[in-house]
Amino acid sequence: MTNSTTYRSNDNKMALFWMGLLLILLLRSFYFGITYFNYLDDYNTYGIFFRRNANIFNDIVRWYGLYTFRPIAFLSDAYITQWFWPVMWLVLLFYTVMHFFTVYIFHWILKKSSVRFGIFGIIIATLTPILIEAVYWIGASTRLVPGMFFSILSVFFLMKYLLSTESIFVKGVGRIHLILYFVFNIISTGFYEQIIVFNFAFTLLIIMLNYSFLRRRRKLIISVPFISTIAIGLFYIIFWNRGKVSTRGTIASSMGSHFVNTTRGVVNLLTRRQYVATRDSLVGFIFMDINIIQIFILLLVIAFTIWLFVGFVKKSSSLLYREENKFTVRLIMGILLTILPFAPFYVLQNNHLSFRLIYPSIFGIAIVFDTILDLISNIKISRLSFYFVKPAAALLIIPLFMANVGLLNDYRLIEKTDITIATNFLDAFRETGASDEAQIFLFDSQILYTETATNHLENVSSSDWAMLGIVNSTSRDYYFARILPVREDETWIHQDMFENEVVYLGINEDLEVFELTRRNNILFRNEAEWGRLEQINDDFYMFTLSSRR
């Protein structure tokens, strides 16, 4: 067999691998059918906007100041994504494919930079279960996935330009690549703070790795990540006291304790159980109701895994990526891309860390794990590389896929419960005959009613904006102004809330919603005492349930 035939065979195998990986991602996202399960912010960000799009600029953009913070993400929500509210699965499809191409282009860039990024790293970057929150949940994916895609795409055009022979002053394809590099680098900073840092770090790292391609006049390209980062920084400074920047852009006051708390939070996030295929998420998959179509999907995933496993055992050069390793460079690069995206949380007062925030760091984590695997594989002990380590990595696809679906099932169960809550709320409110301008209380609401594998989600009853979002996006008769879910001993009610029309509703563990009456700070259901409002100072009341007193 000639070398050209071998290379062609290897390319075909890699094409099959990438197509199989895309198929797995699509099967994961639509495992329960061509649908999407809405969650929390989705109702507020898209469902409500869909009912108020008569004047998008005044009613949405200007009123909420969407242009002041993560401008491209928020403006795309208002002008693009919200129109898909009746068919949100199309948005899910779009971002799933975008996530796939982000990983694909990331691999291509590293390959051209002589940095090995093997199949194990690719699998981590695409199928790690914790990415469900960042990629599947549209309320998060619209900020994260396109931001990362444009950042990686920017570096892709940088690499295309560096690999060309054209000067910066010569017209042609090379100059187009240079322009696209600059444009996409700027665009990527308009989505998320972590991606701003990732974009800056990754662009500079790739420039350093390819510095030999730079000629004297081409060194101007080094300024691009600095320009884009400074530009978005100045943008935020201009709107410092306006819109969401004023609430989310507050600088931490005590840097010492803030640094310790943030570091503890980052370590906790990076070591959470949902990071890989976990017992809980696998349990979530095992106890699902599985039909014949889903069994067929699982068989396809198993078949793909077996094909990949056989490729490793046969020492297929196309699957082993025999490129320059540079273990030290890979480890340093991976560690930097893992840690640096968390830099904004060390500065901002709001350092709450959630699962979705792992997304910009997952590419660094994938590099680190892939490098460690190669280091283990290079131990000269009984051909460990070919017959154990890498085949075992290939077999990881099956539990990862199952864990992904197990977590996805949580969203399915959450949406089902949320719709029940909203439906029962609307039925109970309709019986009161009150105006939708009234102040509505929903007493004894809980953060989570749904039994899930990991209990990492919340129901809409957890917050006022979530309840407003789902009932306003669901109702065709009302548009509510004020709904306050009240938890026992946790929610303090200001006395001003009782000044105008007030509706008292209660909810129990069976999700039944019912009207309450108030007399002398006692809440009655059908003339039986149900709860109390206890005045804790001149301005605030606290709710307690009578049966728990």
Side-chain angles (χ1 to χ4, degrees):
M1 182 180 292
T2 64
N3 287 337
S4 61
T5 304
T6 302
Y7 292 142
R8 189 159 49 248
S9 175
N10 291 338
D11 290 342
N12 291 338
K13 290 179 181 177
M14 286 313 304
L16 286 174
F17 165 73
W18 285 109
M19 287 189 292
L21 189 61
L22 175 59
L23 178 62
I24 286 178
L25 279 174
L26 293 173
L27 292 176
R28 184 278 311 275
S29 295
F30 299 103
Y31 186 82
F32 296 101
I34 307 300
T35 187
Y36 169 73
F37 305 115
N38 295 293
Y39 176 66
L40 291 185
D41 293 43
D42 295 331
Y43 298 105
N44 245 319
T45 308
Y46 312 115
I48 290 181
F49 284 0
F50 185 73
R51 294 187 59 186
R52 278 190 308 194
N53 55 27
N55 192 330
I56 295 177
F57 181 76
N58 285 327
D59 295 346
I60 300 175
V61 176
R62 190 174 180 180
W63 178 261
Y64 291 99
L66 300 188
Y67 52 87
T68 64
F69 186 67
R70 302 172 188 167
I72 299 180
F74 280 109
L75 290 176
S76 65
D77 281 342
Y79 285 102
I80 300 175
T81 311
Q82 59 104 355
W83 292 99
F84 289 89
W85 175 246
V87 285
M88 291 294 277
W89 66 267
L90 287 173
V91 182
L92 172 62
L93 173 64
F94 180 75
Y95 284 121
T96 300
V97 174
M98 182 177 281
H99 170 58
F100 167 79
F101 279 105
T102 300
V103 178
Y104 178 82
I105 297 171
F106 182 76
H107 161 260
W108 182 91
I109 292 169
L110 294 185
K111 181 178 180 181
K112 295 298 181 181
S113 301
S114 298
V115 177
R116 180 177 136 71
F117 188 59
I119 283 181
F120 185 54
I122 293 171
I123 291 171
I124 290 176
T126 52
L127 288 175
T128 300
I130 203 172
L131 295 181
I132 282 289
E133 183 171 304
V135 178
Y136 179 84
W137 180 23
I138 293 174
S141 64
T142 53
R143 285 109 178 87
L144 292 163
V145 176
M148 286 297 294
F149 176 75
F150 288 126
S151 176
I152 300 296
L153 192 62
S154 167
V155 180
F156 167 78
F157 285 113
L158 168 64
M159 287 299 302
K160 295 288 285 186
Y161 175 72
L162 290 179
L163 296 174
S164 70
T165 58
E166 297 180 80
S167 167
I168 191 172
F169 301 109
V170 177
K171 294 181 180 180
V173 176
R175 191 169 186 179
I176 294 175
H177 290 159
L178 188 65
I179 294 172
L180 292 175
Y181 157 58
F182 177 77
V183 170
F184 287 124
N185 206 274
I186 290 286
I187 290 175
S188 68
T189 63
F191 287 91
Y192 214 78
E193 302 79 67
Q194 286 179 276
I195 294 173
I196 296 172
V197 179
F198 176 91
N199 176 68
F200 180 82
F202 183 60
T203 305
L204 286 184
L205 285 170
I206 294 301
I207 289 175
M208 292 170 61
L209 289 171
N210 295 277
Y211 197 76
S212 59
F213 288 100
L214 297 177
R215 296 178 181 176
R216 185 174 183 180
R217 287 177 294 181
R218 287 183 175 179
K219 293 180 181 178
L220 292 172
I221 66 174
I222 299 175
S223 64
V224 171
F226 291 93
I227 292 173
S228 60
T229 304
I230 292 173
I232 192 64
L234 292 174
F235 183 87
Y236 281 166
I237 290 174
I238 292 172
F239 295 105
W240 193 259
N241 294 318
R242 299 174 60 183
K244 294 182 178 294
V245 181
S246 61
T247 57
R248 299 190 181 185
T250 304
I251 303 299
S253 54
S254 177
M255 284 298 180
S257 59
H258 185 76
F259 179 88
V260 173
N261 292 333
T262 302
T263 301
R264 186 182 294 116
V266 170
V267 172
N268 180 57
L269 180 64
L270 293 175
T271 55
R272 293 291 290 270
R273 292 181 301 170
Q274 285 79 12
Y275 175 61
V276 292
T278 67
R279 178 186 61 83
D280 285 342
S281 54
L282 288 173
V283 167
F285 176 86
I286 292 170
F287 286 94
M288 291 188 316
D289 295 327
I290 301 177
N291 57 40
I292 188 65
I293 296 177
Q294 292 163 347
I295 292 175
F296 177 71
I297 290 174
L298 186 58
L299 290 175
L300 283 178
V301 175
I302 294 173
F304 176 78
T305 305
I306 292 174
W307 172 81
L308 191 59
F309 175 83
V310 172
F312 276 121
V313 173
K314 288 185 175 181
K315 313 172 192 178
S316 170
S317 60
S318 66
L319 295 178
L320 295 181
Y321 292 141
R322 296 184 181 277
E323 293 126 20
E324 190 174 355
N325 281 313
K326 297 181 179 178
F327 291 118
T328 304
V329 172
R330 291 168 64 191
L331 276 176
I332 293 175
M333 185 178 190
I335 292 171
L336 288 175
L337 293 180
T338 299
I339 297 175
L340 288 179
F342 291 105
F345 297 100
Y346 283 90
V347 179
L348 301 177
Q349 183 65 41
N350 182 10
N351 63 350
H352 173 69
L353 298 169
S354 56
F355 287 144
R356 60 186 174 274
L357 303 180
I358 201 71
Y359 187 69
S361 297
I362 196 65
F363 296 87
I365 293 170
I367 293 176
V368 171
F369 273 79
D370 195 63
T371 304
I372 293 173
L373 179 68
D374 277 342
L375 286 170
I376 296 173
S377 301
N378 275 272
I379 299 174
K380 306 299 181 182
I381 302 176
S382 65
R383 305 190 65 80
L384 187 64
S385 171
F386 296 122
Y387 295 110
F388 178 72
V389 178
K390 291 182 178 177
L395 293 176
L396 187 62
I397 288 179
I398 296 175
L400 284 178
F401 178 83
M402 294 171 64
N404 270 270
V405 173
L407 293 175
L408 189 64
N409 186 51
D410 289 352
Y411 285 89
R412 182 173 71 105
L413 297 175
I414 286 287
E415 186 194 58
K416 182 179 179 180
T417 302
D418 287 346
I419 291 175
T420 301
I421 292 173
T423 301
N424 292 347
F425 175 91
L426 288 168
D427 290 342
F429 177 82
R430 190 173 290 109
E431 293 179 1
T432 67
S435 164
D436 55 10
E437 292 294 324
Q439 168 65 62
I440 307 168
F441 294 103
L442 183 62
F443 288 101
D444 203 31
S445 64
Q446 305 300 315
I447 293 176
L448 184 66
Y449 288 98
T450 311
E451 282 284 336
T452 61
T454 57
N455 287 337
H456 65 288
L457 303 177
E458 297 178 357
N459 285 116
V460 291
S461 51
S462 61
S463 64
D464 53 347
W465 52 266
M467 276 299 301
L468 273 172
I470 191 168
V471 296
N472 283 334
S473 61
T474 302
S475 172
R476 292 293 176 264
D477 304 319
Y478 304 104
Y479 194 85
F480 297 94
R482 291 170 293 274
I483 302 175
L484 180 66
V486 181
R487 294 186 295 278
E488 186 175 34
D489 298 333
E490 292 184 16
T491 305
W492 291 9
I493 307 170
H494 198 278
Q495 63 176 1
D496 291 348
M497 294 183 176
F498 299 116
E499 292 182 354
N500 300 312
E501 184 182 12
V502 180
V503 174
Y504 302 95
L505 298 177
I507 184 172
N508 58 26
E509 293 182 355
D510 296 326
L511 307 182
E512 181 186 4
V513 180
F514 39 84
E515 185 178 5
L516 301 170
T517 56
R518 176 188 174 189
R519 295 195 296 270
N520 297 324
N521 290 337
I522 299 176
L523 299 173
F524 293 90
R525 182 189 180 189
N526 298 329
E527 300 304 321
E529 181 178 329
W530 186 80
R532 287 176 177 262
L533 292 173
E534 298 182 5
Q535 190 164 5
I536 57 178
N537 55 41
D538 292 338
D539 296 319
F540 290 95
Y541 292 81
M542 185 172 64
F543 162 73
T544 58
L545 191 69
S546 297
S547 60
R548 298 199 197 106
R549 290 174 60 85

